[in-house]
Amino acid sequence: LHTPSRPSPGAVDVTVLDVGQGLAVVVRTATKTLLYDAGPLYSAESDAGQRIVVPYLRANGIRRIDTMIVTHSDSDHAGGAASVLAAVPVDRLLSSVDGMPGEACAAGMSWDWEGVRFLMLHPVPGEAGFARPLRPNNRSCVLRIEAAGGASILLASDIEAADEMAILGRDAGVLASDVLLVPHHGSRTSSSPAFVAAVAAQHVIYPVGYRNRFGHPRPEVMARYAGATEWRTDRDGALHVDLADRPVIVAQRRMRPRYWHGR
């Protein structure tokens, strides 16, 4: 009988779920829901969609997804997509995955939900200037979200340095954001100094798995964000970002600590 609360009109709530080494982000406005990636495939029998994303949606009274974005085909981002699509009705599906139903995400796409502005910054279909054919990371859907009050977040998926430079060349004026979901989990192939300076985030979020085999986030990348407040899903759990006039971030492990969290 309990109905979970939702943001007020013009505000937006962004939750970066703790799915291990991967990405799944739930975005809620006053009446609408967006899912940005669906987390990793864990095994032939298990994925983050069925184990984490769908239970989270149901616990928050979300029975329908207005827009779902599968940023690219890597299994740590798309591995849970089939489970989500099978369990929850999705009105609009955007992706950069060849053969996936729905629409191709493309720079310039934009929409407004209750005063909250959504703008796609990458990829550009058929974009030239790369020395080799685009890999899945280079095709990642990059989304900027801005609340009516002006607070903003940039969801950068797994773009790499060449993609960052391409975005800077097209949309440098709109990159600045209060919160940044750090590209490619803090890999050394991303977060070029020019991109970091253009975004100028006050808060940076690393979606990483505990003791992941890639060593993400890389120390040299973290050093580039030294002036921002750092958040990590392996340490902090799920991260709840409230965007209105200014960003407010709350870590799940601080909200509901357990004795095994070492506090």
Side-chain angles (χ1 to χ4, degrees):
L1 298 177
H2 171 68
T3 301
S5 62
R6 294 189 69 102
S8 58
V12 59
D13 173 81
V14 180
T15 299
V16 182
L17 295 173
D18 179 11
V19 294
Q21 185 67 16
L23 183 64
V25 182
V26 178
V27 180
R28 300 184 304 154
T29 64
T31 65
K32 296 184 180 295
T33 301
L34 179 145
L35 177 64
Y36 184 86
D37 280 334
L41 179 71
Y42 299 131
S43 69
E45 297 81 25
S46 173
D47 61 67
Q50 65 179 201
R51 294 298 179 91
I52 299 173
V53 178
V54 170
Y56 178 83
L57 295 175
R58 289 176 174 163
N60 284 274
I62 299 169
R63 298 289 180 261
R64 175 177 295 275
I65 296 172
D66 296 277
T67 298
M68 178 173 171
I69 300 174
V70 181
T71 63
H72 62 297
S73 61
D74 284 357
S75 64
D76 59 332
H77 292 248
S83 293
V84 173
L85 290 167
V88 183
V90 174
D91 292 340
R92 185 186 190 193
L93 177 62
L94 301 174
S95 81
S96 68
V97 182
D98 291 335
M100 179 169 279
E103 307 169 56
C105 61
M109 284 182 166
S110 64
W111 62 93
D112 185 288
W113 285 349
E114 294 115 15
V116 178
R117 182 72 169 169
F118 296 80
L119 176 63
M120 197 77 71
L121 299 180
H122 192 75
V124 173
E127 184 171 49
F130 291 88
R132 59 186 183 279
L134 294 184
R135 298 184 299 145
N137 285 350
N138 305 126
R139 303 171 67 181
S140 295
C141 308
V142 176
L143 183 67
R144 185 178 185 273
I145 304 169
E146 182 173 339
S152 57
I153 185 170
L154 182 64
L155 307 179
S157 187
D158 275 3
I159 57 170
E160 298 182 339
D163 314 304
E164 295 170 356
M165 293 304 101
I167 296 171
L168 280 167
R170 296 189 307 264
D171 296 306
V174 299
L175 270 178
S177 301
D178 298 300
V179 184
L180 172 65
L181 188 70
V182 174
H184 204 183
H185 317 281
S187 165
R188 61 163 61 98
T189 63
S190 306
S191 297
S192 57
F195 180 81
V196 173
V199 178
Q202 303 168 23
H203 300 268
V204 295
I205 298 174
Y206 298 100
V208 290
Y210 176 63
R211 299 184 69 178
N212 66 85
R213 64 189 178 93
F214 307 102
H216 295 162
R218 303 296 301 182
E220 61 269 34
V221 170
M222 296 174 68
R224 297 173 199 163
Y225 294 106
T229 303
E230 169 199 296
W231 304 86
R232 321 171 36 141
T233 55
D234 61 340
R235 180 191 65 202
D236 302 316
L239 292 160
H240 308 279
V241 184
D242 292 327
L243 296 178
D245 300 325
R246 61 183 182 85
V248 177
I249 301 180
V250 178
Q252 183 69 19
R253 290 187 181 179
R254 298 181 190 179
M255 291 172 57
R256 298 184 178 180
R258 300 290 187 266
Y259 70 87
W260 56 82
H261 292 160
R263 289 179 173 79

